[in-house]
Amino acid sequence: MKKELISLLCILILGSCSDKKGNENETVDVVMVGGGIMSVTLANMLNELDPKLTMVTYERLDSVGLESSSAWNNAGTGHSALCELNYTPELADGSIDTHKAVEINESFEVSKEFWSYLVAGKKIGPAKSFINPTPHMSFVIGEANVKYLRKRYLALQKEPLFTGMEFSDDQKQIRNWIPLVMNGRDASQKVAATKIDIGTDVNYGALTSELATNLVKSGKMKLELNHEVTDFKRNSDGTWKVYTKDLKNNVTRIINARFVFIGAGGATLPLLEKTHIPEAKGYGGFPVSGEWLVCNNPKIIAQHQAKVYGKASVGSPPMSVPHLDTRIINGKKELLFGPFAGFSSKFLKNGTWADLPESFNFYNIRPMLEAGLDNVPLTKYLVEQVVLTPEQRLAALREYFPKARMEDWDLKVAGQRVQVIKIDQSTQGGILQFGTEVVTASDGSVAALLGASPGASTSVSIMLKVIEKCYKEQLKTPQWQTKIKEMIPSYGQNLSGNIALANIIRKNNSEKLGIIWKEIHRDTLKVDVP
């Protein structure tokens, strides 16, 4: 009996050692850290380019798309610069800079191309489960803002991709567009609005789930939920040892990866630092939380069908742009107003209060401190937002919905975003950067995405940059070139400079996704205000 017990014990020990060794020696082509829109987008693109690639995605929560990609945690606008005024700043000479607006608009078209390709192949969909046509509008109050909006409209009339936009400073016309915004408003108030019907509402949480399901069901990607990536170590052969922890069973495992993508939202920064690649030095992050007022009255929700974006107050950051926002979430129409900003030291909604202090290190402490000193208006804005009373939030809402009542709205906590802080190469100081940034190792073995809006809407364009940097040799092959142009027909071309191509792309996207488009005619581009 004693010998049998000893033999059984040896078998168990050897079996355990064998499992551990097997885990450590397992090598996959791709490890995705984080189950958000960025990771699953890249995974689907790589699978289309090379179906033989082996992939594993690790997500610390019990489902994908629950953090920044969740419908309740992001604006869901389908950011295409049709209504977001912060993408068309007024320059010192009084002109309007449309460069960023055109760039973002083109990037969103690229996203729609890839989604159309997947929907047509019945790999995701139906399209209405994640994208729905919704007019995009800008609305401003006051003579100076009306003047700005008129100039913006005129500038965008020269850009083919913005064909179909209308402008009005007539209260009666605007009331026809958005009665909820105009009813009860002072008739003498100076207001103006632009409207364009080709806008969309996108549920990125639903899209993330669709993209992940496509790969998991087909056996092309292994999805490990409730698993957290804790560390990285470089192997002698150039691959990466990825340390993961099973949060349910408290078991640590190791897997080797030829390529690692870190798309973990706010958690990306501390994970990127653990790779110790030189390119990661000097980056910092500043977390900002958000809140929405969510309408609970179906009669009010039914009266509004548009995304109405306003203008941020003087001195406020771009993230403070207020909007009265029609959303389709899980098949149900919703109405949100906000966002109201707040402060939390967490880098994720499900993070810890130690995230911010633990992110400080020798390389980023100077740029982080300098960025803080250079952004006093942001600090002031956040303090003011944190102490807002319910009455003050209601007053802000009434700027866009004059007849709003407090009992028709509930306050809901939105997601966390982490704004990038980086070294300014010209001054070696720190700058706070709005938007997104891709950081890659020199050998292309690691890529990470930092930042926030308009990330989700431009996810396909951003992941194309990752592929171009990390799979540059494969991308040169005829096979990859043929496939990528099948996935994204406009790849390598400029839509804003090619009206014929833009019409073909938008028509195809509209048919596959069930959205609205308007044909561009060069001779109908307006340069005046009606």
Side-chain angles (χ1 to χ4, degrees):
M1 184 68 177
K2 185 176 181 181
K3 289 182 178 179
E4 291 174 349
L5 288 173
I6 292 173
S7 298
L8 179 60
L9 182 61
C10 288
I11 290 172
L12 291 172
I13 291 173
L14 289 172
S16 174
C17 292
S18 176
D19 286 344
K20 184 176 181 182
K21 184 177 180 181
N23 284 328
E24 288 186 347
N25 288 337
E26 181 185 1
T27 300
V28 296
D29 293 307
V30 180
V31 162
M32 304 287 183
V33 184
I37 185 65
M38 295 296 177
S39 292
V40 296
T41 295
L42 180 58
N44 274 270
M45 294 175 74
L46 288 175
N47 176 65
E48 293 295 325
L49 291 166
D50 185 356
K52 294 180 181 179
L53 290 174
T54 54
M55 294 185 282
V56 181
T57 293
Y58 294 99
E59 168 56 49
R60 63 197 296 269
L61 301 179
D62 57 9
S63 185
V64 297
L66 294 182
E67 279 282 352
S68 298
S69 303
S70 168
W72 291 109
N73 291 344
N74 65 44
T77 303
H79 283 289
S80 43
L82 298 172
C83 59
E84 305 93 327
L85 302 180
N86 52 305
Y87 297 143
T88 49
E90 185 172 8
L91 303 178
D93 63 1
S95 63
I96 303 296
D97 182 359
T98 61
H99 174 77
K100 189 172 184 180
V102 172
E103 181 182 303
I104 291 173
N105 193 288
E106 286 192 330
S107 293
F108 188 57
E109 289 298 333
V110 169
S111 291
K112 290 189 289 185
E113 285 182 75
F114 186 55
W115 302 339
S116 297
Y117 165 80
L118 294 176
V119 168
K122 300 188 183 305
K123 297 180 179 182
I124 63 172
K128 66 179 180 180
S129 67
F130 66 88
I131 187 169
N132 288 276
T134 308
H136 282 200
M137 296 187 63
S138 299
F139 176 77
V140 297
I141 303 170
E143 190 170 341
N145 288 331
V146 169
K147 182 180 179 181
Y148 159 78
L149 191 63
R150 182 182 287 109
K151 287 198 294 185
R152 177 185 187 267
Y153 169 76
L154 287 171
L156 290 176
Q157 290 306 289
K158 301 173 186 177
E159 302 294 345
L161 297 180
F162 291 80
T163 293
M165 180 177 287
E166 300 175 75
F167 171 91
S168 180
D169 57 5
D170 177 65
Q171 282 208 16
K172 184 178 179 180
Q173 175 62 66
I174 299 172
R175 183 176 288 106
N176 289 332
W177 290 342
I178 39 176
L180 209 66
V181 174
M182 297 305 296
N183 291 340
R185 189 171 297 278
D186 185 343
S188 65
Q189 192 175 53
K190 297 285 187 181
V191 297
T194 57
K195 178 176 180 285
I196 185 164
D197 292 327
I198 64 173
T200 59
D201 171 71
V202 184
N203 183 334
Y204 290 103
L207 177 58
T208 299
S209 180
E210 294 263 357
L211 291 168
T213 299
N214 172 48
L215 295 182
V216 172
K217 280 191 172 182
S218 62
K220 299 299 181 65
M221 181 183 78
K222 186 177 182 182
L223 176 61
E224 295 282 12
L225 300 173
N226 301 115
H227 278 68
E228 184 174 31
V229 172
T230 59
D231 207 354
F232 303 94
K233 184 179 180 181
R234 195 67 181 263
N235 293 317
S236 58
D237 63 356
T239 61
W240 288 91
K241 203 178 291 292
V242 182
Y243 294 78
T244 69
K245 184 177 182 181
D246 184 332
L247 299 177
K248 284 194 171 181
N249 301 314
N250 199 31
V251 175
T252 297
R253 296 187 178 89
I254 302 169
I255 189 170
N256 293 314
R258 296 183 178 89
F259 170 69
V260 176
F261 174 71
I262 309 174
T268 294
L269 178 60
L271 287 171
L272 176 61
E273 290 172 343
K274 289 182 178 182
T275 66
H276 299 292
I277 60 173
E279 293 82 3
K281 293 180 180 178
Y283 281 95
F286 185 79
V288 179
S289 61
E291 295 176 320
W292 296 105
L293 282 176
V294 181
C295 187
N296 58 37
N297 188 330
K299 291 182 179 179
I300 293 174
I301 296 172
Q303 295 176 51
H304 189 74
Q305 180 58 37
K307 292 178 178 293
V308 180
Y309 272 60
K311 202 164 186 284
S313 302
V314 177
S316 299
M319 70 187 73
S320 67
V321 174
H323 42 285
L324 187 63
D325 201 346
T326 292
R327 301 291 309 278
I328 306 297
I329 301 177
N330 301 325
K332 182 183 177 185
K333 187 177 178 181
E334 305 280 1
L335 183 59
L336 284 65
F337 177 77
F340 298 98
F343 175 75
S344 167
S345 61
K346 295 180 180 181
F347 277 5
L348 290 168
K349 194 172 182 178
N350 293 279
T352 71
W353 298 102
D355 288 343
L356 178 59
E358 288 181 353
S359 72
F360 282 88
N361 59 49
F362 174 79
Y363 298 103
N364 69 18
I365 190 166
R366 178 186 169 188
M368 288 181 74
L369 291 175
E370 289 189 355
L373 291 173
D374 290 341
N375 287 274
V376 174
L378 173 59
T379 304
K380 179 176 179 291
Y381 165 76
L382 290 176
V383 171
E384 291 172 346
Q385 290 278 294
V386 168
V387 299
L388 280 178
T389 65
E391 291 75 18
Q392 288 172 318
R393 290 192 184 93
L394 181 64
L397 171 59
R398 283 179 172 166
E399 289 285 314
Y400 293 84
F401 177 18
K403 292 187 175 183
R405 301 180 306 170
M406 192 175 294
E407 58 264 33
D408 293 325
W409 299 81
D410 301 315
L411 189 65
K412 186 178 180 67
V413 177
Q416 285 285 115
R417 62 173 62 181
V418 177
Q419 303 298 151
V420 178
I421 294 175
K422 59 185 291 189
I423 295 175
D424 185 340
Q425 297 301 323
S426 60
T427 65
Q428 293 303 301
I431 56 173
L432 183 65
Q433 177 174 300
F434 297 99
T436 52
E437 178 147 345
V438 175
V439 180
T440 57
S442 58
D443 65 352
S445 63
V446 172
L449 184 74
L450 300 173
S453 181
S457 297
T458 58
S459 55
V460 176
S461 290
I462 294 171
M463 293 304 100
L464 276 174
K465 292 178 182 177
V466 171
I467 292 171
E468 289 167 351
K469 290 183 178 181
C470 300
Y471 289 86
K472 60 177 67 175
E473 294 305 316
Q474 294 93 322
L475 193 55
K476 293 176 183 177
T477 63
Q479 294 87 348
W480 278 47
Q481 280 292 308
T482 299
K483 190 63 181 181
I484 206 162
K485 289 174 182 175
E486 181 185 348
M487 294 156 47
I488 304 164
S490 72
Y491 179 72
Q493 301 182 72
N494 186 309
L495 288 179
S496 62
N498 190 333
I499 293 177
L501 178 62
N503 279 326
I504 292 171
I505 296 300
R506 282 190 165 175
K507 184 175 186 293
N508 179 69
N509 290 344
S510 70
E511 291 174 349
K512 301 295 190 302
L513 300 178
I515 56 179
I516 296 170
W517 77 292
K518 186 175 180 65
E519 188 171 6
I520 304 167
H521 297 285
R522 186 180 297 275
D523 58 354
T524 62
L525 294 180
K526 297 178 181 178
V527 292
D528 61 343
V529 178

